[in-house]
Amino acid sequence: MTVPGRRSSTFTRLLRHGFTDPSGAERLLDSVELMPVRDDPVLLDALGATADPDLALLGLVRLLEAQPGPTARRELLDTLIAAKPLRDRLLGVLGASAALADHLTRHPRDWEALVTYEPRDLHPGVEEFERGLAEATDPVSLRVAYRRCLLSIAARDVCGTTDLAETAAELADLATATLRAALAIARAAAPEDAALCRLAVIAMGKCGGHELNYVSDVDVIFVGEAVEGADEGKALRSATRLASHMMRICSETTVEGSIWPVDANLRPEGRNGPLVRTLSSHLAYYQRWAKTWEFQALLKARPVAGDIELGEEYVAALEPLVWKAAERENFVADVQKMRRRVVENIPAAEIDRELKLGPGGLRDVEFAVQLLQLVHGRADAALRSGTTLDALHELAAGGYVGRTDAVQLDEAYRFLRSMEHRIQLYRLRRTHLVPEDEADQRRIGRSLGLRADPVAELNREWRRHAAVVRRLHEKLFYRPLLDAVAQLAPGEARLSPEAARERLVALGYGDPAAALRHLEALASGVTRKAAIQRTLLPVLLGWFADSADPDAGLLNFRKVSDALGKTPWYLRLLRDEGAAAENLARVLSAGRLAPDLLMRAPEAVALLGDGDGGGLEPRERAHLEQEILAAVGRAENAQQAVTAARGVRRRELFRTAAADIVGSYGTETQPAEADQGALVDLVGGAVSDLTAATLAGTLRAVVREGWGDTLPTRFAVIGMGRFGGHELGYGSDADVIFVHEPREGVAEQEASEAANRVVSEMRRLLQIPSADPPLLIDADLRPEGKSGPLVRTLKSYEAYYRRWSLVWESQALLRAEPVAGDEELGRSFIELVDPLRYPAEGLGDDAVREIRRLKARMESERLPRGADPKLHTKLGPGGLSDVEWTVQLLQLQHGWAEPGLRTTRTREALAAACAAELISAEDASILDEAWVLATRVRNAVMLVRGRAGDTFPSDGRELAAVGRYLGYGDGHVGDMLDAYRRTARRARAVVEVLFYGA
């Protein structure tokens, strides 16, 4: 009979001890099996100390039910109450692992493995585990024995007897013993195979590094040799059968489940290569074919089973190659690229829960440590440990990593690995995802000692440690470079000059001595400025190294810092505004144009921030014109006014170039712009608007100085070519024609002289040598070309076009758009030329033939000598000229009937032709892609070289920088050129049909 109030009292006690289902727990406590100890406070306290008291209680009842009889049940209960070590171990395991509770239920006497509590049992090694597995003679008994050993490891882990590193080492030792036992079973099953060969099992990955998880693939490589007198081919076939059988023994599912998968895919050629190779075959592969990541993997190679002597020969033979890996071209880039690829392959829905592979995860620590080992382990053998935490300790002791950084990473790595262990231990399943269920998170939090609010504390600590890893994992590589040139506290280790040089070379710096001088100039000393630089530079060095020219990035940063070092806002901007520092690093290392623009007025760095007054969004034309006209109004004379206008132009060119570079490279928080056409439109629109505003300001300045407020003639500037099409590039001239109309009462000659003086003075002022880039005005598209007058009246244009106009002039007028001066006159000019560029009923056959003849002649005569036509972005097949002439022919033929074609913009006209079904959607897409790519290449060449060009650079570093801008990583320049040729070839095929009528 239940005493009144007792249920309520027990219910409360259970809640206080951490049970989440007190009613269910009370029913279990009332079970027959637990009646003898139901009221013993020792039991309830012990259950309350576990990760999941409900799970522990259920597991205990199941274990008691599984005992063979009352005597065995009483023995278990008596030992449980009397022996605290067993109580803590058994209940600790039952509260953390449902899978091990299942094992104990199937094998109810295995709890006795937890009874012994001698010092020699606290830290078992391979020999002790081999004894634990010694009686296993088949896959099933091996699994049972393996779980029994695992039970003792888990018990020491959850009770805190062993720390993370010791637990991981024990798991690796148990794996070693298991591989040996499995190989012994395989040998016993095929003694004739065993007699023919020597077979060594090399552990890789976490097993090789002596830092295994509870459930993980065990990575291995097999090395085989024939015994003396045996045929090598037969011996290798025997070794392969033994290796395959050993893998199946561990991996296959039986009535007792599986142990873990044995993965041999790290072997030469991966799954496509032979499972077993001779030592000489391994060596030949690594000498000739191996990729960087394969040497990185060999850092953890360790012979564990089979012929240990052969395994040691394998490690000794390959070790020299491992420590030469850092000398390979693009070494750091290859390692970092692999890390990025891992992150990119994580499903979007899982990335925020990914403990191992996500940003700030375990792999970030492991990659950073391995990278440093490969760079510095050549000269320092102390760094060659396969264990991450040991290697991190040695890196800090040698000054290769800052001590504080190492301590923080060590703590973060231990916490994240402990989380991983607890997640896997529950079901003994291979996973690295943090569970979403609150009950699972509560169990994990409690198992890690977070008892006040386990779920909230777990998430807070997890995010905190992940943020530390995210912040430090790249800085880890760069911070000691500063310590190598800075004043350190007594006793602090530092990189030697040679080690610093090695690290810079590995990062891609071509002149490490100069780089160290720049670092010393920026970061040495005790000033606040030097302290902030020491904070910034580790991250900046990483961003510089991510470019095609790290040396230029660092040198340019020093120049900007020297110029702005005394301004209070500069370093504060870089330190406090998240985007500014990375944007600056990208801009300074992407080529010559943007840094040159910045050096002429370093205060433009402020544009790179993400606060008020900054931002890289191009400004609208009206705002630009307003600013330039205001500056012109304040100037004392025309030259001063145009200097001010050119200064605005230079600043805005920098803004546009920076936006283009940042959009093309992407940042840590914002991926690269996927729509390449959007970047082309951004540059074309921004530079065209800026050029128009500059011309408007220059016109105002010239008129004001020569004539006051009113010019004797109305005057307009008509944009032509790329300018009229809103498609100017960084290095484009401004193609224009000029039109004027004498004011009432003004003689035509006076008006003409005034208009010509305006043009001459505008051209002169915009080309005066100065710190600002010149703006070249090209009027060669005017009637009669260079032979004709620079300026004509509207009537003169009308007379010329009526009598003498050629078809190419009608084609050129397709791009005509007023850009500056008298708006009404500009509109009148457009009304005049519209019938020419959109002729009624389209072009006649003769005109079409003439256009085709002109195009063919241009292709044969204007291509520069020695240029590769297939890579010439303007005149080559499938280049800009091909696409533009095709689109313009459609406009000339159909513009009279299709209003959408009456635009000066190539892409807009192409889209309109597609909408009008004058061209298929597929062909339109092919032409658009080719035009965008060719334009991007021209923009890239100007950004990289600082001067315009229509073909890819021949210099290797410049070519790599163009590739980086276009989204191709290190070592993929060939892919970029192939992609360009392929895109252009497809476009040319469309042009042959649409333009030439083939």
Side-chain angles (χ1 to χ4, degrees):
M1 175 179 173
T2 303
V3 178
R6 176 176 174 183
R7 177 177 178 80
S8 172
S9 172
T10 303
F11 189 93
T12 304
R13 284 172 58 214
L14 290 170
L15 276 176
R16 194 168 59 247
H17 278 84
F19 287 85
T20 57
D21 181 12
S23 299
E26 197 166 6
R27 285 193 298 273
L28 289 172
L29 287 170
D30 284 336
S31 64
V32 173
E33 288 76 16
L34 280 178
M35 284 300 292
V37 295
R38 185 191 188 288
D39 297 317
D40 195 320
V42 169
L43 176 62
L44 204 55
D45 289 344
L47 288 167
T50 65
D52 187 340
D54 299 87
L55 185 67
L57 178 57
L58 175 62
L60 178 59
V61 170
R62 290 177 63 210
L63 176 58
L64 288 165
E65 289 173 343
Q67 295 304 306
T71 304
R73 206 158 32 243
R74 188 72 222 183
E75 179 189 356
L76 171 56
L77 281 175
D78 288 347
T79 311
L80 188 72
I81 298 302
K84 186 177 188 306
L86 172 70
R87 186 166 63 247
D88 291 343
R89 288 177 169 197
L90 179 57
L91 296 182
V93 168
L94 293 174
S97 178
L100 288 177
D102 290 343
H103 170 81
L104 284 168
T105 302
R106 290 195 305 274
H107 305 280
R109 300 302 295 178
D110 275 6
W111 67 268
E112 295 172 3
L114 304 179
V115 173
T116 309
Y117 194 72
E118 301 296 333
R120 64 185 175 82
D121 298 311
L122 297 185
H123 302 292
V126 176
E127 289 184 12
E128 286 78 11
F129 288 126
E130 283 189 293
R131 283 197 294 272
L133 303 177
E135 295 179 7
T137 56
D138 56 59
V140 173
S141 60
L142 181 60
R143 281 153 178 68
V144 175
Y146 173 84
R147 290 280 194 281
R148 190 182 305 120
C149 293
L150 191 65
L151 190 64
S152 65
I153 294 175
R156 288 187 291 274
D157 180 15
V158 297
C159 291
T161 307
T162 52
D163 66 9
L164 177 278
E166 291 169 328
T167 300
E170 287 185 15
L171 288 166
D173 285 341
L174 175 56
T176 296
T178 305
L179 289 170
R180 292 177 181 180
L183 184 56
I185 294 171
R187 284 176 172 276
E192 60 286 347
D193 281 340
L196 279 177
C197 65
R198 301 169 64 197
L199 176 64
V201 183
I202 312 297
M204 305 288 285
K206 281 191 163 56
C207 184
H210 218 227
E211 52 185 10
L212 197 60
N213 297 332
Y214 275 101
V215 187
S216 174
D217 289 359
V218 171
D219 296 308
V220 298
I221 285 177
F222 295 104
V223 188
E225 297 286 351
V227 298
E228 189 173 347
D231 176 75
E232 184 177 283
K234 288 183 178 178
L236 284 178
R237 286 192 291 275
S238 294
T240 300
R241 286 191 291 271
L242 289 173
S244 299
H245 191 189
M246 187 203 85
M247 292 173 69
R248 290 196 304 275
I249 289 169
C250 296
S251 305
E252 286 181 349
T253 301
T254 69
V255 290
E256 287 291 338
S258 67
I259 301 177
W260 18 246
V262 177
D263 188 341
N265 287 336
L266 290 177
R267 68 187 184 269
E269 300 179 77
R271 65 186 60 191
N272 296 319
L275 183 64
V276 183
R277 288 177 183 257
T278 62
L279 178 53
S280 60
S281 175
H282 276 285
L283 196 55
Y285 173 84
Y286 284 106
Q287 287 170 335
R288 296 189 62 188
W289 308 112
K291 297 181 175 63
T292 298
W293 70 263
E294 293 178 278
F295 293 107
Q296 185 181 352
L298 285 171
L299 274 172
K300 296 184 178 294
R302 181 171 65 95
V304 292
D307 192 315
I308 298 298
E309 184 181 346
L310 177 58
E312 288 172 347
E313 289 174 16
Y314 169 88
V315 171
L318 292 181
E319 191 174 41
L321 300 180
V322 172
W323 303 114
K324 289 180 181 177
E327 299 170 8
R328 295 163 67 92
E329 189 175 356
N330 301 321
F331 160 70
V332 172
D334 284 348
V335 175
Q336 292 174 333
K337 190 190 307 173
M338 169 163 279
R339 175 69 190 111
R340 282 194 293 270
R341 193 179 302 132
V342 168
V343 174
E344 288 165 1
N345 288 334
I346 302 171
E350 296 180 359
I351 194 163
D352 288 337
R353 297 191 294 124
E354 178 58 69
L355 196 62
K356 176 181 178 181
L357 303 177
L362 294 164
R363 188 56 61 86
D364 275 347
V365 182
E366 292 159 0
F367 263 58
V369 169
Q370 289 163 21
L371 198 56
L372 288 168
Q373 284 182 279
L374 287 168
V375 170
H376 298 296
R378 290 176 290 175
D380 190 344
L383 305 180
R384 298 181 181 180
S385 171
T387 307
T388 302
L389 290 176
D390 290 348
L392 183 58
H393 173 77
E394 292 299 336
L395 286 165
Y400 303 99
V401 170
R403 289 186 186 277
T404 302
D405 292 347
V407 167
Q408 289 182 309
L409 272 182
D410 183 284
E411 290 175 355
Y413 189 73
R414 287 176 184 273
F415 182 85
L416 296 173
R417 279 295 303 271
S418 296
M419 269 188 77
E420 182 184 45
H421 276 190
R422 296 301 192 271
I423 291 168
Q424 293 182 348
L425 183 58
Y426 178 53
R427 291 288 185 193
L428 287 181
R429 288 179 184 162
R430 182 176 179 270
T431 179
H432 312 289
L433 290 179
V434 177
E436 295 177 291
D437 184 73
E438 191 170 299
D440 289 329
Q441 292 187 13
R442 181 176 183 273
R443 183 187 63 256
I444 296 164
R446 282 176 57 91
S447 75
L448 296 173
L450 308 173
R451 297 298 173 100
D453 186 351
V455 175
E457 288 181 75
L458 176 70
N459 281 282
R460 184 167 59 248
E461 286 298 293
W462 168 31
R463 300 302 179 190
R464 180 175 72 82
H465 284 297
V468 166
V469 172
R470 213 164 33 242
R471 188 181 80 250
L472 288 181
H473 93 273
E474 286 191 354
K475 190 180 90 167
L476 198 69
F477 205 78
Y478 307 106
R479 166 74 70 186
L481 289 169
L482 304 187
D483 293 342
V485 297
Q487 297 294 320
L488 298 184
E492 273 287 309
R494 72 167 78 204
L495 283 183
S496 67
E498 180 60 24
R501 189 196 69 78
E502 286 178 344
R503 192 173 296 195
L504 284 163
V505 169
L507 285 167
Y509 286 82
D511 188 350
L516 283 172
R517 286 196 302 273
H518 299 324
L519 292 177
E520 185 171 9
L522 288 163
S524 61
V526 294
T527 64
R528 182 171 174 273
K529 182 176 88 170
I532 296 175
Q533 288 281 24
R534 286 194 291 272
T535 301
L536 291 169
L537 276 165
V539 184
L540 288 168
L541 284 169
W543 287 324
F544 294 148
D546 191 36
S547 75
D549 195 349
D551 298 85
L554 181 56
L555 172 61
N556 289 331
F557 180 68
R558 181 180 175 184
K559 288 179 178 177
V560 173
S561 295
D562 287 347
L564 294 175
K566 293 182 181 178
T567 57
W569 55 267
Y570 167 61
L571 290 175
R572 188 168 64 243
L573 171 83
L574 298 185
R575 182 192 64 194
D576 297 342
E577 294 205 23
E582 184 174 6
N583 289 346
L584 179 62
R586 298 297 183 201
V587 165
L588 292 179
S589 55
R592 294 179 184 173
L593 178 66
D596 285 350
L597 293 168
L598 182 60
M599 297 308 170
R600 290 164 182 168
E603 65 276 4
V605 164
L607 299 176
L608 299 171
D610 49 13
D612 294 339
L616 298 177
E617 192 72 29
R619 298 172 67 200
E620 293 180 4
R621 177 173 166 181
H623 293 154
L624 291 169
E625 199 165 310
Q626 184 180 22
E627 180 184 1
I628 288 175
L629 291 176
V632 166
R634 293 189 296 269
E636 295 180 2
N637 55 54
Q639 184 167 333
Q640 191 180 90
V642 175
T643 298
R646 288 174 65 181
V648 174
R649 177 172 176 265
R650 181 236 318 119
R651 183 197 70 208
E652 294 303 319
L653 275 175
F654 172 74
R655 188 199 301 268
T656 302
D660 188 16
I661 290 166
V662 171
S664 298
Y665 273 65
T667 66
E668 290 188 350
T669 57
Q670 187 72 32
E673 173 61 63
D675 183 356
Q676 304 290 294
L679 289 171
V680 165
D681 293 343
L682 176 144
V683 174
V687 178
S688 300
D689 286 348
L690 179 55
T691 301
T694 305
L695 289 177
T698 304
L699 176 59
R700 172 76 62 87
V702 170
V703 170
R704 190 184 65 174
E705 180 155 289
W707 294 272
D709 291 334
T710 307
L711 190 66
T713 185
R714 294 160 61 210
F715 185 92
V717 184
I718 310 298
M720 300 289 284
R722 293 190 173 282
F723 187 15
H726 299 259
E727 297 162 359
L728 284 180
Y730 299 111
S732 301
D733 296 347
D735 287 319
V736 298
I737 57 177
F738 300 103
V739 58
H740 78 103
E741 193 67 26
R743 296 188 185 277
E744 190 173 342
V746 177
E748 189 163 318
Q749 184 171 350
E750 180 189 352
S752 178
E753 288 175 356
N756 276 282
R757 276 178 57 197
V758 167
V759 172
S760 177
E761 189 65 1
M762 284 179 69
R763 296 177 85 173
R764 184 186 73 83
L765 290 172
L766 287 169
Q767 295 179 49
I768 290 175
S770 75
D772 300 312
L775 175 55
L776 303 179
I777 295 176
D778 186 340
D780 290 352
L781 290 175
R782 65 188 184 269
E784 301 179 78
K786 293 180 181 179
S787 304
L790 268 175
V791 192
R792 289 176 182 262
T793 64
L794 199 60
K795 288 181 180 178
S796 175
Y797 277 109
E798 183 180 13
Y800 174 85
Y801 288 136
R802 186 174 62 251
R803 295 187 62 191
W804 309 109
S805 177
L806 300 173
V807 68
W808 74 263
E809 291 176 301
S810 296
Q811 183 180 352
L813 287 169
L814 286 166
R815 306 279 225 148
E817 181 173 292
V819 293
D822 190 296
E823 293 181 7
E824 185 181 343
L825 182 58
R827 283 194 294 272
S828 297
F829 179 85
I830 295 302
E831 289 171 5
L832 169 67
V833 302
D834 268 352
L836 287 167
R837 56 184 182 172
Y838 309 124
E841 304 302 326
L843 292 179
D845 291 343
D846 290 344
V848 171
R849 278 194 294 272
E850 176 63 11
I851 287 178
R852 289 171 176 165
R853 188 187 67 78
L854 286 170
K855 175 75 167 72
R857 179 179 160 192
M858 185 178 71
E859 287 178 14
S860 63
E861 294 180 2
R862 293 180 59 186
L863 194 69
R865 183 176 297 176
D868 181 352
K870 293 179 181 177
L871 293 176
H872 199 279
T873 59
K874 183 176 181 181
L875 301 175
L880 295 170
S881 175
D882 265 4
V883 177
E884 288 166 2
W885 282 58
T886 301
V887 171
Q888 288 160 13
L889 181 59
L890 289 170
Q891 289 180 283
L892 289 165
Q893 290 175 311
H894 304 283
W896 65 279
E898 292 292 341
L901 290 172
R902 298 171 205 162
T903 174
T904 62
R905 306 178 188 221
T906 302
R907 299 187 72 207
E908 213 172 84
L910 185 57
C914 180
E917 298 183 351
L918 301 172
I919 178 175
S920 71
E922 182 182 2
D923 286 350
S925 175
I926 289 170
L927 293 181
D928 185 70
E929 181 186 3
W931 189 88
V932 166
L933 179 57
T935 304
R936 289 270 291 157
V937 172
R938 294 180 95 207
N939 286 345
V941 170
M942 185 66 190
L943 285 169
V944 169
R945 303 179 69 194
R947 61 182 188 273
D950 291 320
T951 190
F952 290 89
S954 55
D955 177 81
R957 181 156 274 194
E958 290 179 347
L959 189 60
V962 169
R964 189 69 183 81
Y965 171 86
L966 294 176
Y968 292 89
D970 290 320
H972 289 277
V973 163
D975 294 339
M976 171 183 69
L977 298 177
D978 287 345
Y980 180 85
R981 291 188 187 98
R982 184 168 57 251
T983 302
R985 186 167 59 247
R986 293 172 68 213
R988 180 65 180 198
V990 174
V991 170
E992 291 285 354
V993 174
L994 292 179
F995 184 83
Y996 288 109

